[in-house]
Amino acid sequence: MAALTKLLEVRSLSKKFGGVLALDRLDLSVAPNDILGLIGPNGSGKTTFFNVVTGIYPADAGSVIFERVDITQAASRTVYRAGISRTFQRSRLCLSLSIFDNIMIGNHKRLNQGLWFNLMRRSDFKRQFEESYQAARTLLDVFEPRLCDRIFEPAAGLPMIDRRRIEICRALINEPRLLLLDEPSAGMTHEETNELMDDILQVRDRKKNLTIIIVEHEMGVIERITDRCIVLNFGRKIAEGPYRQVAADKQVQEAYLGVAL
Amino acid sequence: MAEARQKTSAPLWPGLAALLLATAYVGTMLAAEKQRTIIALLGFGIAAILLAGWLRLLEPVGRSFADREDALGALSIAATLAIGGYFREDHFVLLLVVTVLLYSVATLGLNIQFGYAGVLNFAGASFFGIGAYTSAVLNTYSTVPHLLVLLIGGLLAAFIGSLLLLPVLRTRGHYAAVVTIAFALLLKTFLEVSDVLGGPQGMQVPGMKLLGWSFNDNITIGRLSLSFYMSYFFVSLLLLVAAFVLVRRLERSWIGLNLDALRLDETAARCFGLNVARWKIIAFLLGNFLIGIAGALFGMVGGFVAPNNYTFADSLILVSILLLGGIGNPWGLIVATLIVVVVPEKLQTIQEYRFLLYASLVIAVLLFRPEGLLPRPVRRYFPGWRP
Amino acid sequence: MDAGLLAQYVMNGLMLGMMYALVAVGFTLFFGVLDVIKFSHGDVLTVGAFTALATFAGLRGIGIDYGPINLFAMLAVAILSMAALGMLIARLIVLPLRSAPALNVLLITLMLGTVLRESVRLFYPQGANPKPFPALLTQASIDLGRFNLRLDNGLMLAAGVLIIIGLQVLLNRTKLGLAIRAVAQDEETARTMGINFTAVVLITFAIGSALAAFAGVINGLYYNEINFSIGLYLGVIGFSAAIIGGLGSVYGAILGGFLFAGLQTIGTVVLPFASAYKDVFAFAVVIAIMAWRPTGLIQEKISERV
C-alpha cells in the first residue's frame, strides 16, 4: 500500500446555517505529522470546520477523508474512534468531576465498557483502573506535575491554564492520530501559551505519530509551531502557505484589517 | 477536598459513632407514640445535626464513610437487622421499615436515571405501580413462583419504559419531562377504567409464598412470636443491599463515568466516543427494572393495589426524595427516604399536608442548597484506595 | 355519521382547542422570553378558576346576583390576580434562577405547581371535591338543522378567538409586542437597544397568566364545574401542544392546541367504549410526533453554541 501522503483530505466542504454560508467549498489537506495552522477573522468558519469534521454538524456538500476513509457524514463517536480528537473553543470540562475523570472521558475507546466487566469483574476492573491512572498521571505530568497529586480532586476552581491542560490531556490520552486544537491560547498569557505549546510538542515528539490542526488568533503561536497555514474568510480559503508568506498576502491583510498594508 | 491528599485511610470510629447514634435515634422515633414526643424528637434531631455541622463534626464522619464504606455498609446492615429485631412483634413499625426499604430501592432506580444519566422520569410511581399490579395479576391468576414474579415485575416496568424511550432519547430535558408526566396521568386513568385490573377499587394481592412458606402467616419460633412482616423485612433488606451494591459499582466504574459525561455535556461526550442513546437507554431500563421489582414486592407486602396509590403526585414524592437527599448520593437517598416516609406516618397531623410540605421543602432546597442534604462527593473508584 | 352529531363534535373540538391554545400560548411565551419551562402554569389556571369562583361566592354573599355583572367581576378579579401571581413567580423564582441549570427551574416550577394545587385542595373550602361553577351565560340555544348550537358556547368561542387575535395584534403590531419578540430572539441585543428586560419579562408572565385565568373561567363555564387538578391536566396538554407546535412559536402553540383537541375528538369517535382512551390516543400521537420531529412542527429556536 502506498504511503499516506494526506492524512486528512477535505474536498469542497460546504455548510450553511439558515442563510449564512459558514463553509464555502473548502479544500484542505494535511500530511501526516504536519502541524497546520487555521486562521482567519472571527466568523470565518474555523470552528465550524472543526464541528463538521467531528460530526457535530452534518456537512451540506463535499467530503472529508481521513486515512483514506470517508468520514463526511460520520457521527461524532465514529470520528473519534477513527483517531481524531479535539479541544473546544470555550472550555468544556465537566467541572464537578475529578481531573482524572475528565481525562478518562477522552480514553473511552481504550476502556472496557461492558456491563459484566464493570459490575462483576471488579479485580480486572481494578487492574484497568490502575493502568489508566498511571497513563493519565504520566501524561498530566508533562503539562503540570503539580496537578498530579490532585488528580482525584474536582476540576472546578482550577485556573484557566490548568483547565486547558486537562482538556488537552483528555484529547491526547487515547493517542489520536489527528488532534484538532481550537484556540488553545484563549484566556491565557503569552508565557502560559508558550509553555502549553512546548508541552504539546513534547508529547508529539514522544509519540512520533501526531498530526495537529490548530485554530488560533495569536499569530506568535502560529508562526512558531506551524509548518503551514490556511487562511479562511467567510468560509472560503483565501491563502495557503507558510506563515510568513501568508501574513504578507494582500488579501489576508484586507480580510483582517479591512485594508491591505 | 483534602481527602485525596491524605496518605492514610480515615479511621472507622467517627462513622461508627454516627451510625450508632443514628440507629438509636431512628429506633426511638419509630417507637415513639405521642405526637408531642415525636415533635420534640424531631426538633432535637434537627438541632443536633445543626450543632454537629457548626462544631465541624460532620466532616470526619463523611471521610470515615468515604474510606471505610465496606465496613460501615456491613455495620449498617447489622444496625437495620437490630432495628428489625427490636420491633419484631410490631406490625405497624415493621411495615413502615419495609416501606422505607422498598422506597429506597425505587429511588435508587430513579437515581440511576436522573442522578447519573440525567434522564427525567416523572412517572416513577407509575412504574412502581406496574410492578405492583404484576404481582396482583400473576399471584391471583397464575402459579408463577413469587421470586419470578418479582423479576417479571421489574422486566415489565423496564419494557413499558422502553416504549416511552424513543421520544425521550431524541429530545431535550423538558420534552422528556412532559412525556413521563403524560404517561403518569394516562396510566392512572387507564387503570381506573380497566375493569380487568379492578378499576378504581384495585385488586387484592395474595401474599408472598416462598418454598411453601407463606409470608402472610405470623411466625413462631420457640417462645418468640414474630410479626409476619419479618419475612418481608428480610427479603426487602436483601433487595436493598443488592440494589445498593449494584448502584455503587455502577457509579464507580467506566459506566458511571459515561453516564456523568453524557449528563454534564452530551456534545463533548459524543466527541469522545460515547454512544449517548445507548447509555441513556441502559440507564432508563435499569432504573425502571429496580423500580418495578420494588413495586412488585411492595404489592405483596401491602396486600392490595389501587390506581390511587401510584399517581403523578406520588412520582413527585420520589423525585423530591432524590432532590432532598442529594442527587447521586445513595446514602443521602436512604436518609431522605427515611425522613420522607417516616415523619408523615408518625406525625399524623401533617399526613394530609405532606405533598404541600415536601414540594415547599424542595423549593427551599433548590433555592438555597441545590446539592441536597448529603451532596454527592467526587468519584472514588475504590474507597480507601491510595496510589 | 349524523350531521348534527358531527357538528356537535366539531363544536366541542373547537372549544377544547381554544382552551388548550390559550394555555399553550402561555408556555410558549415563557419559553420564548426566558428559555424556561414554567411547569406551574397549568396550576395558575386552577387558582384563577377558583379565584373566580370565590369572587362569585363573595358577590353572592353581599347580595349581588346579576349574571353579567358577576361574570365581569369574576373575570376581572381572576385575570388581574393571576397576572399579579404570574409576575410574582417571575420576580421571585424564575428570574433569580436564570443562571442555574435549566433543570432546576423546571423542577422548582413543578414543585411550585404542586404547592398551588395542594393549597387549593387543602385551603379552599371542600377543595378536594369538584365544585359546581355557576352558569352565568345565557342558556338559550339555536337550532341549526339537526345541530343545537348553545349560545353560551358560541359566545365563549368567539371570546376566545377574539383574545387570540388580540394577542397576535399585540405581538405583531404594538411596541410592547415588538419588545417581547426582541427579548425572545436575543436578550442581550434587546437590552443594548434600550429595552427594559425585566419589565418585558414581567409583562410577558402577566399576559400568559392572564390568559390562563381566562381559560380557567371558560373551562368552568363550559363544564359547569371545576376541580383542583384541572390545571395539571390542562397544563400537560397545553405544554404538549406548545411542544408539537414548536416551543417559542405562538402560531405553533395555537396550532398545537387545536391539533390536540382534534386528536382527542378523533379518539372519542374511534374509541367510543371509554372516554379515557381518547387521552391515551391523543398523547400517543403526540409522543409519536415528538419522536418524528423533536423540535416541533414549527422549528424551535436553537440556543446552544458549540
Side-chain angles (χ1 to χ4, degrees):
Chain A
M1 190 163 330
L4 199 61
T5 48
K6 295 184 191 171
L7 186 73
L8 181 75
E9 190 179 350
V10 174
R11 290 202 209 119
S12 209
L13 194 63
S14 297
K15 177 67 192 164
K16 243 183 157 179
F17 287 112
V20 178
L21 193 59
L23 292 176
D24 189 358
R25 287 162 293 165
L26 180 64
D27 289 319
L28 180 154
S29 68
V30 199
N33 293 317
D34 258 10
I35 300 185
L36 174 70
L38 194 58
I39 58 181
N42 274 326
S44 50
K46 312 186 294 292
T47 300
T48 307
F49 171 67
F50 277 3
N51 288 340
V52 171
V53 167
T54 53
I56 294 178
Y57 299 133
D60 289 328
S63 66
V64 178
I65 309 214
F66 179 69
E67 292 184 333
R68 297 205 189 95
V69 176
D70 187 329
I71 59 165
T72 320
Q73 299 297 339
S76 299
R77 65 177 201 272
T78 315
V79 173
Y80 165 82
R81 295 201 94 88
I84 301 180
S85 256
R86 71 170 292 178
T87 64
F88 295 87
Q89 196 173 5
R90 60 171 188 86
S91 176
R92 286 179 93 120
L93 283 187
C94 299
L95 294 177
S96 55
L97 297 183
S98 67
I99 298 175
F100 176 74
D101 278 351
N102 274 292
I103 299 179
M104 279 303 113
I105 287 176
N107 210 13
H108 187 263
K109 69 185 185 192
R110 298 167 139 211
L111 300 174
N112 189 330
Q113 310 289 342
L115 269 173
W116 189 257
F117 175 83
N118 280 278
L119 296 178
M120 294 300 164
R121 286 170 44 197
R122 290 304 276 183
S123 40
D124 290 334
F125 173 75
K126 188 165 192 177
R127 212 172 312 127
Q128 189 170 71
F129 163 72
E130 283 168 342
E131 283 163 10
S132 309
Y133 166 74
Q134 287 305 330
R137 207 197 155 97
T138 312
L139 184 60
L140 191 59
D141 192 63
V142 172
F143 289 86
E144 176 57 275
R146 277 174 298 175
L147 286 177
C148 290
D149 285 331
R150 303 164 60 186
I151 201 173
F152 289 108
E153 286 175 30
L158 290 174
M160 185 51 112
I161 166 85
D162 284 335
R163 287 200 244 158
R164 286 258 180 249
R165 287 172 171 141
I166 297 171
E167 258 207 275
I168 289 173
C169 288
R170 178 176 71 179
L172 286 174
I173 185 79
N174 69 96
E175 300 188 339
R177 284 188 297 295
L178 176 61
L179 176 65
L180 305 176
L181 289 173
D182 202 342
E183 293 194 42
S185 77
M188 300 201 297
T189 66
H190 279 304
E191 293 79 37
E192 289 172 336
T193 307
N194 282 334
E195 212 187 308
L196 190 61
M197 291 303 138
D198 285 336
D199 293 335
I200 294 178
L201 291 177
Q202 195 183 341
V203 174
R204 179 168 167 268
D205 289 333
R206 282 193 205 171
K207 299 292 177 199
K208 307 217 180 306
N209 189 11
L210 179 63
T211 311
I212 301 177
I213 302 180
I214 174 168
V215 164
E216 251 309 335
H217 276 302
E218 207 185 293
M219 295 305 150
V221 173
I222 298 285
E223 187 173 5
R224 188 159 76 91
I225 69 169
T226 62
D227 303 312
R228 206 165 51 96
C229 278
I230 287 180
V231 187
L232 293 186
N233 195 21
F234 294 115
R236 318 188 78 216
K237 177 162 72 174
I238 60 171
E240 183 170 359
Y243 175 73
R244 287 279 167 74
Q245 176 188 322
V246 145
D249 185 309
K250 296 270 179 265
Q251 257 199 308
V252 172
Q253 288 168 358
E254 247 183 75
Y256 268 102
L257 303 169
V259 57
L261 289 171
Chain B
M1 276 225 202
E3 318 168 11
R5 292 210 206 112
Q6 276 183 307
K7 289 305 169 196
T8 52
S9 277
L12 182 65
W13 66 263
L16 182 60
L19 186 62
L20 287 173
L21 287 169
T23 313
Y25 181 76
V26 170
T28 321
M29 176 64 94
L30 287 173
E33 307 236 329
K34 293 217 190 73
Q35 295 287 285
R36 254 183 282 182
T37 332
I38 294 171
I39 296 180
L41 266 177
L42 269 179
F44 171 74
I46 296 174
I49 299 277
L50 289 174
L51 186 66
W54 186 62
L55 288 174
R56 303 198 172 282
L57 292 174
L58 292 179
E59 278 113 52
V61 172
R63 279 199 291 276
S64 180
F65 263 87
D67 276 351
R68 301 285 187 163
E69 194 174 30
D70 294 333
L72 285 170
L75 288 168
S76 303
I77 299 177
T80 317
L81 286 170
I83 297 229
Y86 182 77
F87 291 104
R88 63 188 172 279
E89 295 179 28
D90 192 331
H91 294 303
F92 178 69
V93 170
L94 272 185
L95 178 58
L96 204 56
V97 172
V98 169
T99 308
V100 170
L101 294 174
L102 291 179
Y103 270 43
S104 298
V105 175
T107 34
L108 282 175
L110 205 62
N111 185 47
I112 299 178
Q113 299 171 332
F114 184 39
Y116 297 150
V119 176
L120 288 168
N121 184 356
F122 288 117
S126 305
F127 290 107
F128 196 74
I130 289 176
Y133 267 88
T134 310
S135 289
V137 169
L138 288 181
N139 283 10
T140 312
Y141 296 118
S142 76
T143 51
V144 176
H146 290 176
L147 279 185
L148 201 57
V149 171
L150 292 185
L151 201 65
I152 295 177
L155 291 173
L156 193 61
F159 171 69
I160 295 182
S162 72
L163 295 179
L164 289 184
L165 262 187
L166 193 57
V168 167
L169 281 181
R170 292 193 63 194
T171 58
R172 284 199 280 163
H174 41 257
Y175 301 91
V178 84
V179 168
T180 47
I181 296 179
F183 179 69
L185 296 178
L186 285 178
L187 188 69
K188 169 160 190 268
T189 322
F190 174 73
L191 290 173
E192 275 177 344
V193 300
S194 152
D195 292 318
V196 176
L197 294 175
Q201 265 71 38
M203 288 177 69
Q204 300 258 26
V205 188
M208 192 159 194
K209 284 191 183 52
L210 210 57
L211 305 170
W213 171 295
S214 171
F215 274 38
N216 280 12
D217 303 325
N218 277 334
I219 312 165
T220 357
I221 305 177
R223 275 179 297 153
L224 275 180
S225 168
L226 305 170
S227 156
F228 68 94
Y229 283 121
M230 275 304 268
S231 328
Y232 288 116
F233 170 75
F234 284 121
V235 180
S236 304
L237 185 58
L238 213 65
L239 187 61
L240 178 59
V241 171
F244 192 88
V245 170
L246 176 75
V247 168
R248 255 334 194 186
R249 287 189 177 184
L250 190 73
E251 196 234 347
R252 293 176 161 155
S253 69
W254 306 134
I255 299 179
L257 182 60
N258 288 344
L259 295 179
D260 282 339
L262 77 86
R263 181 184 83 251
L264 292 169
D265 192 341
E266 221 178 275
T267 312
R270 281 209 183 88
C271 286
F272 290 107
L274 204 63
N275 186 340
V276 168
R278 173 169 179 246
W279 288 112
K280 277 189 181 175
I281 294 177
I282 292 182
F284 198 65
L285 291 182
L286 200 56
N288 273 1
F289 179 66
L290 282 181
I291 296 175
I293 289 189
L297 185 52
F298 193 68
M300 293 193 221
V301 172
F304 89 103
V305 293
N308 219 26
N309 297 343
Y310 311 111
T311 64
F312 172 65
D314 296 297
S315 293
L316 282 187
I317 293 262
L318 289 178
V319 171
S320 302
I321 294 178
L322 212 58
L323 293 169
L324 289 172
I327 309 183
N329 186 335
W331 289 108
L333 270 185
I334 295 182
V335 172
T337 311
L338 204 67
I339 298 175
V340 169
V341 172
V342 172
V343 172
E345 284 296 323
K346 281 294 184 178
L347 219 52
Q348 281 296 322
T349 37
I350 69 166
Q351 259 276 26
E352 258 306 273
Y353 297 86
R354 66 184 193 284
F355 292 134
L356 179 62
L357 208 65
Y358 289 132
S360 311
L361 210 60
V362 171
I363 292 178
V365 165
L366 283 174
L367 283 175
F368 304 119
R369 195 187 154 91
E371 65 278 14
L373 207 66
L374 292 178
R376 180 182 171 193
V378 172
R379 174 181 286 101
R380 316 171 103 230
Y381 291 82
F382 293 96
W385 179 84
R386 294 281 181 272
Chain C
M1 172 187 298
D2 171 68
L5 193 58
L6 180 64
Q8 194 63 48
Y9 275 127
V10 168
M11 185 66 192
N12 193 46
L14 288 174
M15 287 296 299
L16 289 177
M18 187 259 293
M19 281 191 272
Y20 299 156
L22 288 171
V23 179
V25 163
F27 274 113
T28 230
L29 281 175
F30 301 150
F31 186 79
V33 294
L34 270 189
D35 267 347
V36 293
I37 307 298
K38 183 175 159 268
F39 264 114
S40 51
H41 188 49
D43 299 291
V44 165
L45 183 153
T46 311
V47 177
F50 274 85
T51 308
L53 191 62
T55 312
F56 176 74
L59 287 174
R60 264 284 207 71
I62 59 173
I64 304 180
D65 205 357
Y66 185 49
I69 292 189
N70 282 2
L71 183 59
F72 181 76
M74 286 161 68
L75 274 172
V77 172
I79 288 176
L80 289 173
S81 53
M82 287 310 103
L85 180 62
M87 286 201 281
L88 207 67
I89 293 176
R91 194 87 193 73
L92 292 180
I93 295 193
V94 179
L95 273 173
L97 281 180
R98 267 193 312 137
S99 39
L103 202 64
N104 283 20
V105 180
L106 192 151
L107 291 168
I108 272 202
T109 52
L110 198 67
M111 294 296 157
L112 186 64
T114 304
V115 169
L116 291 173
R117 194 164 58 247
E118 287 292 302
S119 299
V120 169
R121 181 178 76 92
L122 292 166
F123 302 129
Y124 196 88
Q126 302 258 307
N129 300 331
K131 319 279 293 163
F133 203 83
L136 290 166
L137 294 173
T138 164
Q139 294 300 303
S141 61
I142 328 174
D143 275 317
L144 301 168
R146 274 176 290 183
F147 169 53
N148 179 286
L149 171 65
R150 291 181 50 169
L151 278 179
D152 55 357
N153 287 356
L155 264 169
M156 289 192 278
L157 190 58
V161 168
L162 278 174
I163 296 236
I164 291 179
I165 294 179
L167 181 71
Q168 288 291 59
V169 166
L170 176 77
L171 284 177
N172 293 319
R173 310 241 170 170
T174 65
K175 261 186 128 185
L176 174 63
L178 187 61
I180 294 178
R181 282 184 293 132
V183 167
Q185 273 267 327
D186 187 335
E187 175 198 333
E188 261 189 68
T189 312
R191 279 190 134 126
T192 56
M193 292 295 134
I195 294 178
N196 186 337
F197 175 73
T198 311
V200 168
V201 168
L202 291 179
I203 292 178
T204 311
F205 270 70
I207 293 177
S209 307
L211 288 174
F214 180 75
V217 174
I218 296 281
N219 191 272
L221 289 172
Y222 188 57
Y223 289 112
N224 286 317
E225 84 168 18
I226 54 175
N227 71 78
F228 73 96
S229 60
I230 191 69
L232 177 63
Y233 177 69
L234 287 176
V236 173
I237 293 179
F239 188 40
S240 314
I243 287 184
I244 42 178
L247 272 176
S249 158
V250 174
Y251 282 119
I254 298 173
L255 175 70
F258 282 100
L259 185 64
F260 195 91
L263 287 172
Q264 277 186 319
T265 311
I266 297 176
T268 319
V269 172
V270 167
L271 306 160
F273 36 89
S275 64
Y277 284 106
K278 74 175 191 297
D279 288 332
V280 177
F281 172 73
F283 274 115
V285 175
V286 165
I287 291 178
I289 294 181
M290 281 202 254
W292 166 52
R293 289 277 213 115
T295 48
L297 296 171
I298 302 177
Q299 200 68 17
E300 175 187 326
K301 42 184 261 224
I302 311 168
S303 42
E304 206 205 355
R305 183 167 166 64
V306 179

